[in-house]
Amino acid sequence: MTTLAIVESRADRASEHVCEFLRENADWERREDDARPAEDGGGTYYRTEGAELRSFDDLHIELEAPAEAFDCDPDLLVFASRHSGDTGPLLTGHFTGNFGPAEFGGEPDALADAAPNALARLLEAFDEYAPEEYEVGMEGTHHGPTDVGCPSLFAELGSGDEQWDDPAGAEAVARAILALRDVDPHRSRQVVGFGGNHYAPRFERIVRETDWAVGHVAPDWALEAMGHPTAHRDVLERAFDASDAEIALLDGEWPVLEETLADLDCRLVGETWLQEVDGRPLELVDRIEADLGPIADGVRFGDCRADEIRVVDLPADLVETAQGIDPDRVRTIVENHTVAFTTDNGGTRVGSRAAIPASAGDAADDRDGAVGDERDADTSDPRRAIVDDLAAVLETKFDAVRLEAGAVVAEETAFDPKLAREAGVPEGPKFGALADGEPVTVDGETVSPERVLTERTRRFPI
C-alpha cells in the first residue's frame, strides 16, 4: 500500500484551512512526537489508514527534506498549499524545482522527484470535488523545495484571499488529497514537458485524454531562465530522472533544445503521437512506424490488436468512391478492421495502405455472388471484411452491387447529359431537374427523366 505524507504550513492560511477539512474528513488518530521540534513537524501529528499529516512553521517552499519528519516512510508527499495569481477560483497541482535560478526556495538547477500518476489522479479528484465556480488545472514546475525525500506534488487552493478562506474550496482540496491514499506516484507511461504556458494546457490534455502521465514541465519562462540548453544538460537529464521518463513532448519552437534532447538519447514526440499511441505497446508502435510510416506523416491506429502485423494495400478506387458517399462510415470501417492505416489530407481521409494482424487468414478473392449474401463469409480476413463493408456503402448509391473475381462491380441507372443534349435540353437548370427525376418541357415537348437515363457499370479492383 502506498503511504501518503501530507504537509501543512502554519505560515499559509490556505494550507491551514485545507488541513482543517482534512482532519474532519477522515478518521485520524492524534499522536505526539517529542523527538522533533513542533516547528519542524514534531509535536502533535495525525495518522489514519494510508496517510500521515504533520505541521511545519515555515512556508512549504522553505522546507528541506520534509519527508524525513514522517514516521510512515512515505511513498508520496503532498503539500497542501495556497495558489497565488490573477487566475480567479482555481484548484491546481504541480511539481517543484528550478530549471534555472532559485528565486523562490530550493536549489538552482535542481528538481524534486515528481509523481506523475499522482498528479493525474489529483486532477481527477479536483474535477470531482471542485465547487462549480472553480477551474481545475496543472502548472509547470516551479519554486522549492527541491529536496523532499520522496516523490511529491503541490495541491493548491487559489487564487486569492476570498478562495483561501472559502470552506467549499478548502474542503474540495482536502478531499482530493485524501483521494491520493494508496495511489502509486508513477505509472508505466510518463513524459517530460518542455515549452508552452505556465498553466500547461497541452500537457494537461495529455494527462486527461490519454494513458500517459506528465512529470516535470519546463514552461517557456523556465527555459529562458535556464539559459542555453547545451550548458545545462545536467538539469535536463535530471528532469527525466526525476520524472521516471524517457520521452519528451515539446510545446513550441526550441530548435537548440530539440538538438540537445536528441543528444540525450530521449525520444522526442508530438502531441498527436501521444494521443494516437495512448496505451498501445511501444514495440508495436515502432513496428507500425517502421513498416507503414510515421504517425507524424498521417498514420493512424485502428481498433484491432495484434502482436505481429503485415502491411497490405487497400483497394484505392473502392475506398475513394465510398469516401465520396460517406467518409465517416469509411473511416469507421477501416478503423474496425485494421491495426493502423495511412491517411491523406491532414489525416481527414483514409489512405491507401494498412497494417492488419499477421495471423489473419488469406481469404479467396475470386468468389462470385451478391455481396449481401457473402458479407459474413470470412470474418477472419480484415481485407475481405473491409471490401464487404465498403461494398455495403456503395449499395446506398448504386442500384446493384456484387462481388466478382478480383473486383466489386456496381451498377446504376443515371442521368446521361449526352442523351439530354440529344433531346434538345439546354444545359443549366433543366439539366438539374432531369437529374433530380423531374420532367422538363423544351419547345412545347415534355422530356421525361426516363428518356435521358443510361445504365452504367463500374468495376473496382480489389
Side-chain angles (χ1 to χ4, degrees):
M1 172 182 287
T2 300
T3 304
L4 176 67
I6 305 170
V7 172
E8 175 184 18
S9 168
R10 299 187 185 97
D12 179 344
R13 79 171 189 267
S15 179
E16 291 185 306
H17 201 188
V18 169
C19 289
E20 287 175 12
F21 283 98
L22 275 168
R23 286 184 279 267
E24 289 181 10
N25 279 272
D27 184 16
W28 298 91
E29 176 188 354
R30 180 169 174 161
R31 297 186 178 186
E32 296 294 328
D33 181 359
D34 298 329
R36 177 178 289 270
E39 61 268 23
D40 294 330
T44 301
Y45 70 101
Y46 299 86
R47 288 289 299 273
T48 191
E49 183 177 359
E52 183 176 322
L53 168 61
R54 288 180 179 254
S55 302
F56 299 76
D57 278 358
D58 290 338
L59 286 171
H60 303 106
I61 63 174
E62 298 170 357
L63 299 178
E64 295 184 7
E68 294 178 0
F70 290 80
D71 291 336
C72 63
D73 189 21
D75 303 292
L76 172 67
L77 186 145
V78 59
F79 297 93
S81 174
R82 72 187 181 206
H83 173 265
S84 299
D86 298 324
T87 51
L90 175 67
L91 307 184
T92 182
H94 69 87
F95 305 123
T96 61
N98 301 302
F99 280 88
E103 297 184 14
F104 301 101
E107 297 295 324
D109 302 327
L111 302 167
D113 286 336
N117 186 55
L119 178 58
R121 179 66 186 97
L122 181 71
L123 295 181
E124 291 176 356
F126 277 161
D127 290 340
E128 182 177 356
Y129 299 123
E132 183 176 354
E133 67 272 21
Y134 280 78
E135 298 291 331
V136 172
M138 62 178 282
E139 300 174 78
T141 297
H142 64 298
H143 69 61
T146 52
D147 179 14
V148 176
C150 70
S152 64
L153 73 162
F154 268 61
E156 299 185 340
L157 170 62
S159 301
D161 290 327
E162 181 180 351
Q163 290 77 42
W164 300 339
D165 294 332
D166 177 22
E171 183 171 18
V173 176
R175 296 177 71 182
I177 289 173
L178 289 173
L180 298 180
R181 288 181 291 179
D182 205 26
V183 171
D184 195 300
H186 299 284
R187 63 175 62 168
S188 61
R189 291 171 180 256
Q190 302 182 157
V191 303
V192 176
F194 297 97
N197 297 329
H198 178 80
Y199 290 97
R202 169 165 290 180
F203 303 105
E204 185 177 340
R205 280 197 302 272
I206 297 302
V207 172
R208 292 185 177 279
E209 299 176 5
T210 75
D211 282 353
W212 296 91
V214 177
H216 281 292
V217 174
D220 289 345
W221 67 264
L223 292 175
E224 292 168 359
M226 181 183 71
H228 201 283
T230 56
H232 293 85
R233 290 172 58 100
D234 55 342
V235 71
L236 297 176
E237 291 174 342
R238 175 60 184 157
F240 289 96
D241 291 341
S243 302
D244 193 19
E246 297 178 347
I247 294 176
L249 173 60
L250 186 61
D251 186 356
E253 299 295 327
W254 293 89
V256 178
L257 173 62
E258 190 170 344
E259 294 175 5
T260 306
L261 292 174
D263 291 339
L264 294 181
D265 198 29
C266 75
R267 185 169 192 165
L268 187 59
V269 302
E271 182 179 354
T272 299
W273 191 93
L274 293 171
Q275 293 276 5
E276 280 295 315
V277 169
D278 202 16
R280 293 175 174 84
L282 297 185
E283 297 82 0
L284 173 63
V285 174
D286 290 341
R287 288 198 297 274
I288 290 291
E289 292 202 291
D291 295 348
L292 193 59
I295 293 170
D297 289 348
V299 168
R300 296 294 180 262
F301 284 93
D303 297 331
C304 289
R305 294 292 188 264
D307 293 329
E308 299 295 335
I309 61 166
R310 59 189 174 115
V311 175
V312 297
D313 292 329
L314 295 175
D317 290 345
L318 180 59
V319 168
E320 186 62 26
T321 301
Q323 286 192 111
I325 299 170
D326 192 339
D328 292 339
R329 185 176 172 187
V330 172
R331 179 74 169 238
T332 299
I333 288 168
V334 175
E335 287 176 345
N336 286 343
H337 298 299
T338 65
V339 178
F341 56 97
T342 61
T343 64
D344 299 322
N345 296 336
T348 62
R349 305 277 287 187
V350 171
S352 60
R353 301 166 69 233
I356 63 174
S359 59
D362 290 326
D365 289 328
D366 58 354
R367 288 172 295 179
D368 297 336
V371 170
D373 294 338
E374 295 193 4
R375 194 149 294 140
D376 297 324
D378 187 1
T379 58
S380 66
D381 185 0
R383 294 174 304 169
R384 177 58 185 272
I386 290 171
V387 168
D388 286 348
D389 288 350
L390 292 177
V393 175
L394 299 190
E395 287 178 344
T396 64
K397 178 181 178 181
F398 291 86
D399 298 325
V401 179
R402 65 181 183 274
L403 188 64
E404 293 184 353
V408 171
V409 179
E411 297 176 345
E412 64 177 338
T413 302
F415 168 74
D416 189 332
K418 180 180 179 181
L419 293 179
R421 284 190 289 270
E422 291 174 355
V425 179
E427 295 186 20
K430 292 186 177 182
F431 258 46
L434 283 171
D436 291 337
E438 300 174 7
V440 299
T441 300
V442 179
D443 296 332
E445 179 183 358
T446 298
V447 179
S448 67
E450 293 76 16
R451 182 175 169 185
V452 293
L453 294 179
T454 188
E455 292 185 356
R456 298 173 181 166
T457 299
R458 292 190 61 182
R459 294 179 60 85
F460 301 94
I462 57 175

